[in-house]
Amino acid sequence: MARRRSLRKIEASAFGGAPHELHLVSRDASNIEGAATGFVKPRSVDDVVGIVRECHARGIPFVPRGAGTGLAGGAVPGPGSVVMSMMGMNRIRSVDLAERSAWVEPGVLNADLSRAVARHGLHFAPDPSSQQSCTIGGNVANNSGGPHCLSAGVTSAHVLAIEAVLSDGSLVTLDQDSSPFDLRGAFVGSEGMFGIATAIKVRLTQNAPHHATVVVGFPTIDAGARAVSAIIGAGIVPSALEMMDAPITRAVEAYVHAGFPLDVGALLIIEVEGLSHGVENDIESCLTVCWNHDASYVRRAETESERALIWKGRKTAFGAIARIKPNYYLHDTVVPRRRLAEVLEKVGAIATAENLQVMNVFHAGDGNLHPLLLFDRREAGIMDRVHRAGAEIVRVSVEAGGVLSGEHGIGLEKRDFMSLMFDEPSLSAQRSLRRAFDPAGLANPGKVLPAGSGCGETSGAPGGAWI
Amino acid sequence: MNFAAVDAEDLASCVSCGLCLPHCPTYRITGDDSQSPRGRIGLVAAVRSGDIALDGGVREALESCVQCMGCLPACPSSVRYDRIITPVIDDLAAKSSRKSLVKRLFFAPLTRPRLLRAITVVANVAGRVHLVPKRFPVPPVGSATRRLRLPATATNPRGDVVLFRGCVMDAWYPQVHQATIDVLDRLGYNVKLSDPSLCCGALHAHAGLATRASTLTSRVDEAFPGATLVVNSAGCGAHLARHAENMGEVVDVMEFVSRHLDEATFAPAAQAKDAVVVHDACHLRNIQGTHLAAHRVLGLFYEVRPIPDEGLCCGAGGAYAIEHPKAAELIVERKNNAIQSVIDDKVRYLASGNPGCAGHLHSHRPASWGSVEIVHPIELVARALSTSHPRAGETGRT
């Protein structure tokens, strides 16, 4: 009797999300529109187990949600889904200073984690531009990166273990002790399709004692891109190598006033961290490479506030763009470093062909492009042009030997491009892996893997509009 | 009701990136999309387009906004959330008859200084015997009827300024007015006082009583054409600065002092400094952008400690703490923890430039703060000037 009551209670909350809540959790920052049927906010592992068991018993798909800052639609629910907000689970369970690790719940904000351990001289290394808002759970789901992941590595390098609820309601711990295979590694980047992480053991990184940040101007993107390849080729691994093209540099400078030069074709931000002698040595080597590649401008941040201003310029670049046109479509593809200049030229041509404005800001060190297509969605027929241009950008990136996504994930956005990169046997292997974790196909279905091919998959691709 | 007064362009300018989320106090305590600026903008847009009905849930989500505007400086797209939420709150208030009666009763004393003072004295007595709920931010008033001392008119003043007395400020914090007068006098300005029946209307505007607010604001505006109005209540200052048309300038007292304080003359002798934790009122930080003035000026005399929570709102928000006591309490708990993290033996003061925040922090102060005194920053400046730079004839001259 008690069990029936508790089941009913869970049912009611699963399907009782208020209309306005269902409306809001039907989308994320991609603004692909979905349709949530239920909304729940578990506050404990037991809550998650109870909800997932109930979903399993009734065949209801469930979609985990963090801060909803994803850009690929990974948290957008298909029809008939229950959205599970993980924001009620936001405790840092424990910090182990000797081991430099912490167990955190998935709703902890990325920047909050670093703030919480700052007094110990530690931080969580992955630093997506959305780090103020995004959650550790979301970082794990998308294997998120950030400017400083060039040397530190992306999220998977900073996750030591995962406690997760699988789609049948079983609670498992994925770490190096519990299985001969690296199931933790498989879970990171699974975009909520293997189950729901209820706690994550993260690696904490010591703050570097010294750093140097320089801004280097080049006459062309080509010269800058060659310099980036040469820096990596020389065996130096800066902590960040970020590039901005001329149009975005002008837009950012007008907003942030970081003192960026406006007469250059491309701007490179180089940051090196470590012990002082190593830092000076590396930054000297980087600058020598840059001078050899026709650098026309070099400025080093002399104070902490100058450095902060440079990074503010880089991390709020998208906002600066919103001042030029009301809408943007931010792409995320990766190409081999040596082909950066060539692909960027093609991206420019694609935009010109569709009569769209494009600006580029990207993680040059790992070849991760972020072309921004600018538009005003009130213009008739504009969305068709934006989508065509987006598809072309993905195609030329993959053709150049690149991949579909660097850090935003596949979600719904890139799902139908998967066959550009993976042949049928590869996709089939990925489906099998997914089935091993989630035989019922209830965990965030319809994402990543192309529709209509999975066991138990609802083809529930929400239709809808991009902005 | 479909929020017709909200500009469609303003709604369309939000790209839903979510960078505002952690800067919103109600999102911080709930983690709910509906309790965030992005969510509220989405709800207003959905109600307007007819996608969802304006039901109790939507109303609650919109009315729970503290209107701290912490999302404004956080937004990289410069979305004007203030221009979206203000007409929405007005719309909702206009449709709520029961609440508007309660509100009228609550706001009645604000333009009646004697009534307000009488209520204050009664509330103080009641508060001492624990009859007043925590949510009413009435501070301890030891000198509610104290008369303000105006110094003799300077023979060769740097200029004339009007001190805006306001309603709550005048009844509850006369000592702040006195400190303001003293410091302005020391800076060489002739001070005139506004009439205490002149209420600026900020609290009314915050509660959605737009028409009444506008009437009150105009009265203040027309009383001092061309004048420089110095305001020591950040909430009043932010409201008047935005709406005044006839006055010369509306300026927060700390900003005024920061501009005119001659640092060379007033730099105190090197000594062990007391530390002061500075609470930035949202009106100064998010609306006027002048919160650093208090840090600069206090830094001349004290060790200044900012609160390490990125300026998140304390939850006072006009009459918010009275209308939404639970949310206000959760928000101030968060603020108190952040304040606690910078308090040690050296800290003697917690400075706030807004009476609403000061009262709210006072009624929720934890015992662990010990003897830390909650003061207006101008009081600290007045004290520092009178001890380190006494005038001729005053005791303590060196």
Side-chain angles (χ1 to χ4, degrees), chain A residues 41 67-68 112 115 133 323 378, chain B residues 9 18 28 30 32 78 310:
Chain A
K41 196 166 110 183
D112 278 357
R115 270 194 283 267
S133 302
R323 288 156 192 254
R378 289 164 294 194
Chain B
E9 296 279 318
R28 272 298 196 169
T30 61
D32 289 342
S78 303
E310 261 112 74

Side-chain angles (χ1 to χ4, degrees), chain A residues 205-264:
Chain A
T205 304
Q206 188 170 18
N207 296 345
H210 290 281
H211 45 71
T213 309
V214 293
V215 173
V216 184
F218 293 93
T220 60
I221 286 188
D222 188 47
R226 283 174 203 280
V228 167
S229 285
I231 288 170
I232 304 284
I236 309 163
V237 185
S239 53
L241 269 179
E242 297 287 307
M243 198 181 277
M244 305 196 288
D245 69 6
I248 205 166
T249 303
R250 278 195 290 275
V252 166
E253 182 57 19
Y255 166 43
V256 178
H257 309 295
F260 292 149
L262 300 179
D263 55 351
V264 296

Side-chain angles (χ1 to χ4, degrees), chain B residues 253-337:
Chain B
V253 62
M254 297 310 289
E255 172 71 11
F256 188 86
V257 171
S258 170
R259 276 189 225 156
H260 299 285
L261 185 75
D262 177 354
E263 298 188 7
T265 311
F266 287 111
Q271 53 183 311
K273 290 179 178 175
D274 289 331
V276 50
V277 177
V278 180
H279 166 67
D280 302 325
C282 297
H283 315 89
L284 297 174
R285 187 176 176 118
N286 303 329
I287 297 171
Q288 299 182 92
T290 59
H291 61 291
L292 290 177
H295 295 244
R296 267 196 308 274
V297 174
L298 290 177
L300 294 172
F301 310 103
Y302 303 88
E303 181 198 325
V304 170
R305 300 207 181 156
I307 301 172
D309 65 354
E310 261 112 74
L312 203 70
C313 173
C314 69
Y320 187 84
I322 294 163
E323 295 194 66
H324 304 270
K326 271 188 198 148
E329 191 157 343
L330 288 172
I331 294 169
V332 80
E333 258 172 37
R334 206 170 191 288
K335 174 64 76 182
N336 284 348
N337 289 338

